[in-house]
Amino acid sequence: MSYLGVGVSPGNVSGSTTKMKLIDRKVRVTELILRCLVCVLALVAAILIATDVQVREIFMIQKKAKFTDMKALVLLVVVNGIAAGYSLVQAVRCVVGLMKGRVLFSKPLAWAIFFGDQAVAYLCVAGVAAAAQSAAFAKLGEPELQWMKICNMYGKFCNQVGEGIASALFACIGMVLISCISAFGVFRLYGGSKSRPSSRW
Amino acid sequence: MSYLGVGVSPGNVSGSTTKMKLIDRKVRVTELILRCLVCVLALVAAILIATDVQVREIFMIQKKAKFTDMKALVLLVVVNGIAAGYSLVQAVRCVVGLMKGRVLFSKPLAWAIFFGDQAVAYLCVAGVAAAAQSAAFAKLGEPELQWMKICNMYGKFCNQVGEGIASALFACIGMVLISCISAFGVFRLYGGSKSRPSSRW
């Protein structure tokens, strides 16, 4: 027997429940698409930066620019690796949930997913911000501190780093949207029944 | 007449509603305290960094280190100024809501506060990450790129910047917690009535 609000006739109950299920399904499909996108974009970012090498001959000395020369780029590769792996696991969980027509988890797991998404989203934002700051130094230099720009010597290296940071930025935006969806997913489980007008938040 | 779930006897309804109101009140007080903390910490961070100056004489030339020499520090001062102002406005809204015993806003405003909190939280994380990256360069230098460290010459300046970044980091953590509270606040408004076991998210 299904417990539904007093004063709600069975007729329009099944209507509103079907509508809720439709919204549920759309939200889950959106979540799945976003997670696959983040997985791909984060992977592309990590590969672009990790495989970026340029060798220059300066005063007869061979100089090699690689991503390990800058700690922020190492951080960005690690963060995007984590984001890609995490998104892959979550995408599999979404597919299984959609196929079974019922998600596999309870409130505690909804909380775990929410915290996981928040943590990865903030990690991505921090990683991209630090890498972008380093790239700005490399591109523009910092005359006040006598830090020379290097992109005039390693143009190709810097361009590929720029592409990697752009891809990481889009992965970041995807993670931020996903963390809103998982917030929606967990906090609506705490919704009082609709009939409590006085307790509007 | 209050519309409550079928099968719920009036006796334990007022009990559960009072419990909900208690939780509501605790969440709001926590939110108010966090917003005041973020306001103070962000203000301290902005002031510490904006007022940080050190003059050194190097080879008979007076050299002055100030926060405008590093773009990331300018960004951090601006971001923390925004966070402090935003938190002050929100704190006033919380106090008014608590005094009136009813919050002043509807779903759209709950959404606006949620997006505002998310935006400021991510802005704070990006600002702190970029500033921390710049501080790391200043403290350790980047030998591979021939960027010299500068904190050995401007120790006092760097220490005060470090204190400012630490304060900004705590303000950041506060904003992240607040954005979880406002997510709770808005998404639980979409909670179906508790009686829909099959649609667990």
Side-chain angles (χ1 to χ4, degrees), chain B residues 14 26 35 45 57 63 76 86-87 95 98 118-121 130 137 140-142 146 153 157 162-163 168 187 191 199:
Chain B
S14 66
K26 276 184 193 157
R35 291 207 190 265
E57 202 163 290
K63 286 219 146 200
L76 194 64
Y86 175 80
S87 300
V95 168
L98 277 170
Q118 289 278 313
V120 173
F137 281 138
L140 311 167
E142 190 65 87
Q146 283 105 42
M153 291 186 287
F157 178 82
E163 288 155 17
F187 289 130
S199 70

Side-chain angles (χ1 to χ4, degrees), chain A residues 3-6 20-21 24 27-28 31 63 69-72 102-103 105 114 121-122 125-126 129-130 133-134 137-138 142 144-148 150 176 179-180 183-185 187-193 195-196 198 200-201, chain B residues 3-6 20-21 24 27-28 31 63 69-72 102-103 105 114 121-122 125-126 129-130 133-134 137-138 142 144-148 150 176 179-180 183-185 187-193 195-196 198 200-201:
Chain A
Y3 290 86
L4 293 163
V6 171
M20 284 298 285
K21 285 208 168 155
D24 262 5
V27 169
R28 286 185 210 165
E31 180 190 353
K63 286 219 145 196
D69 292 341
M70 226 180 217
K71 296 174 195 73
R102 200 176 57 73
V103 282
F105 51 80
F114 168 68
Y122 284 115
V125 168
Q133 176 60 66
S134 305
F137 281 138
E142 190 64 86
E144 298 284 347
L145 312 176
Q146 283 107 40
W147 293 350
M148 289 179 333
I150 54 166
V176 168
S179 77
C180 289
F184 168 72
F187 290 130
R188 68 182 198 140
L189 297 178
Y190 291 84
S193 63
S195 52
R196 287 188 309 112
S198 68
R200 267 181 317 156
W201 173 258
Chain B
Y3 290 88
L4 293 165
V6 170
M20 285 294 286
K21 287 211 168 154
D24 264 7
V27 169
R28 286 186 210 164
E31 180 191 352
K63 286 219 146 200
D69 293 342
M70 226 181 217
K71 297 174 194 73
R102 199 180 56 74
V103 284
F105 50 81
F114 168 67
Y122 283 116
V125 168
Q133 176 61 65
S134 305
F137 281 138
E142 190 65 87
E144 298 284 348
L145 313 176
Q146 283 105 42
W147 292 349
M148 290 180 330
I150 54 165
V176 167
S179 77
C180 289
F184 169 71
F187 289 130
R188 67 181 203 143
L189 297 179
Y190 292 84
S193 62
S195 50
R196 286 186 312 109
S198 69
R200 266 179 319 158
W201 177 259

